[in-house]
Amino acid sequence: MIRVADLPVEERPREKMIERGAAALSDAELVAILLRTAPAGHSVVEFAREWLEAFGGLEGLFDSDIRTLLQRHGIGPAKATTVLAAVELGRRVARRKLENLPVLDRPELAADYIARAHGGERVEMFGCLLLDSRRRMIGAPVLHRGARAHAAVEPAEVFHAAIVANADALILWHTHPSGDCTPSQDDLDLTRRLAEAGRLMHVAVLDHLVVARGGFVSLRQRGAFPSP
């Protein structure tokens, strides 16, 4: 059985976390810390990587239960309960953060959330804030990253996220790392296209925010949305 301690120092996830922080670790390295050991012939990180692939990534792992985990080779009650405890803690933290968020009924509140969450990014990002009927956020998926990322956005992926979350409404957003939050013609065209799609899908598109350092623009306030 190969343990984390048996790996070369540069491959030990714990040492890497201490030196560089948890964010520097891959999904497999984080899971390896929980698993601690692997069956003979595997490194712990390799075992964790194969394990995650079998579950379809972190999302599949989060949907697993104790019986599913115990069916995996090399996983006993100690490993299974350790992993599920970590998963449940993550769920509870995420749920409590969402429960404590303010009602996003003004563009200033939504823009402030986006700036806090993604203001440090150096590439353009596009996403949406998913809201319930009381305008409380129930999800915040990032849909694209990179230069002109939102130009590739399709209505299907936006509204799939909304439907899965049972959202009543959403706020579109993207960032301008340049610092200039002036909307482009592409921004206006995308806004109108997604607003029309939302009307058909019965998911209200409340706004599209362009967020940059020190400011934001609400395309709703700019009159970019089609008339009812």
Side-chain angles (χ1 to χ4, degrees), residues 27 52 55-64 87 91:
D27 294 346
L52 279 173
F55 279 103
L58 288 178
E59 293 80 3
L61 182 59
F62 265 62
D63 291 336
S64 300
V87 167
R91 281 201 190 99

Side-chain angles (χ1 to χ4, degrees), residues 13-35:
R14 282 199 197 94
E15 282 75 0
K16 185 176 178 180
M17 180 184 288
I18 292 170
E19 182 179 343
R20 299 172 56 187
L25 274 65
S26 67
D27 294 346
E29 288 171 326
L30 291 170
V31 172
I33 290 176
L34 298 173
L35 296 177

Side-chain angles (χ1 to χ4, degrees), residues 158-172:
V158 175
F159 292 101
H160 174 74
I163 291 168
V164 168
N166 197 30
D168 182 76
L170 60 84
I171 297 172
L172 305 167

